[in-house]
Amino acid sequence: MSVTDSTPSAGFTPPTRFAVPGRIAVSNRAAATWQRATLTEVRRETPHAATFRFAVPDWEGHLPGQHLMLRLRAGDGYVAQRHYSIASPPDDTGHIELTLDHVDGGEVSGWFHTVAKPGDEVEVRGPLSGFFAWPGDRPALLVGAGSGVVPLMSMVRHHRARGLSVPLRLLVSARGPEELIYASEYGAETAPVFTRTAPEGVPVGRVSAAHVAALLADRPEGGWEAYVCGSNGFAEHASRLLVDAGQPVDRIRIERFG
Ligand SMILES: Cc1cc2nc3c(=O)[nH]c(=O)nc-3n(C[C@H](O)[C@H](O)[C@H](O)COP(=O)(O)OP(=O)(O)OC[C@H]3O[C@@H](n4cnc5c(N)ncnc54)[C@H](O)[C@@H]3O)c2cc1C
């Protein structure tokens, strides 16, 4: 279940402001400034989710786990804005990637999935929220369901890209194998939990106490920081299991999409 990288640590020393255990400072200027983002590529992940890659030349960078505000503007002046987690790692200079579920009847996700094409422009501002950020400086347990895996994948990609040696573990849940976002990026050691359909021989069910116990089986120096992301229901369920398994409540960070 663990996502580990055999590459030795590249010796990444996080800047001092990243070493704070609680909320990480965000730039007020970046958070308040709308920037133009040009769609450059669309990649299908599952029948209901796709990744949208944007060129954002003045993007100041982000930490894995952070999100942004995205704004669409119609010709008649109508504006819609939504939060989206950043899927790409921080080192992807001048580019960001978002992965969107196609929500039934959804205004913004519907536009992306049915209308958007490379060359289209939208506006973004961010990064936002220092609370769900993982600077790569502490052991992290990542627990996500559905599109809740998006900010967690930014963390996994950062871990791999930098060759970090700090322990990182990932538990993902999806309705079925065809709904598993980023399926090709999980190592053999990641055992996804399927809630509705599963390959033969694989049990169907929710994330359970046994899954969480396996995640917490050993305690690295300094303990684990848990990051939970998904719908309201999933976030409640997973965080309760973590607390029951002994994870301190003040070391569980939750991001809810629902
Ligand atoms: C911090 C944060 C990060 C987020 N990151 C992501 C991300 O990485 N990927 C992603 O796909 N979404 C993400 N979301 C959800 C996203 O902001 C939108 O809510 C979602 O895309 C739906 O917007 P829409 O305009 O398509 O639907 P709307 O037009 O707003 O809603 C249409 C219908 O769908 C329902 N609905 C709205 N949102 C959801 C939802 N998330 N799940 C199920 N039903 C819903 C509404 O109640 C309504 O009935 C994130 C939300 C937050 C708060």
Side-chain angles (χ1 to χ4, degrees):
M1 212 173 296
S2 64
V3 174
T4 43
D5 199 311
S6 52
T7 326
S9 166
F12 169 56
T13 311
T16 332
R17 77 184 176 96
F18 295 164
V20 193
R23 190 176 287 273
I24 284 153
V26 294
S27 152
N28 288 336
R29 202 190 55 75
T33 309
W34 288 104
Q35 300 185 51
R36 197 162 289 183
T38 307
L39 184 59
T40 59
E41 189 189 337
V42 181
R43 294 197 309 271
R44 182 134 299 281
E45 301 284 355
T46 71
H48 296 109
T51 291
F52 299 86
R53 181 171 176 81
F54 299 89
V56 192
D58 296 328
W59 187 249
E60 280 187 11
H62 59 275
L63 288 172
Q66 287 190 292
H67 64 270
L68 51 69
M69 184 65 92
L70 183 142
R71 180 160 79 178
L72 296 183
R73 223 180 248 287
D76 62 1
Y78 177 76
V79 164
Q81 53 182 45
R82 302 284 184 273
H83 289 108
Y84 289 104
S85 295
I86 303 164
S88 43
D91 292 340
D92 197 2
T93 316
H95 290 85
I96 50 170
E97 292 188 357
L98 309 177
T99 301
L100 271 66
D101 249 341
H102 190 174
V103 171
D104 260 356
E107 199 170 46
V108 172
S109 66
W111 181 82
F112 271 101
H113 278 270
T114 60
V115 179
K117 55 182 186 328
D120 286 347
E121 285 184 351
V122 302
E123 292 167 288
V124 294
R125 64 176 173 81
L128 308 174
S129 170
F131 184 67
F132 203 74
W134 180 69
D137 63 347
R138 63 201 77 168
L141 286 182
L142 317 180
V143 186
S147 56
V149 74
V150 174
L152 310 182
M153 183 47 79
S154 177
M155 300 176 190
V156 170
R157 288 169 170 165
H158 181 58
H159 191 263
R160 288 186 181 147
R162 292 283 181 100
L164 302 181
S165 57
V166 64
L168 189 72
R169 290 187 176 166
L170 173 68
L171 179 60
V172 288
S173 170
R175 290 190 176 132
E178 70 292 342
E179 298 287 346
L180 184 65
I181 299 176
Y182 312 130
S184 65
E185 288 191 54
Y186 303 118
E189 70 284 357
T190 301
V193 177
F194 297 119
T195 56
R196 297 209 185 151
T197 56
E200 220 177 301
V202 176
V204 172
R206 297 180 87 187
V207 167
S208 69
H211 294 118
V212 172
L215 272 186
L216 287 162
D218 50 346
R219 190 178 185 282
E221 202 187 327
W224 295 104
E225 193 80 21
Y227 292 80
V228 177
C229 188
S231 65
N232 285 326
F234 178 80
E236 296 288 326
H237 174 69
S239 50
R240 193 168 306 131
L241 290 176
L242 282 163
V243 171
D244 290 348
Q247 176 68 10
V249 78
D250 60 348
R251 298 201 60 189
I252 302 177
R253 296 170 192 242
I254 301 174
E255 186 101 288
R256 298 159 197 269
F257 283 6

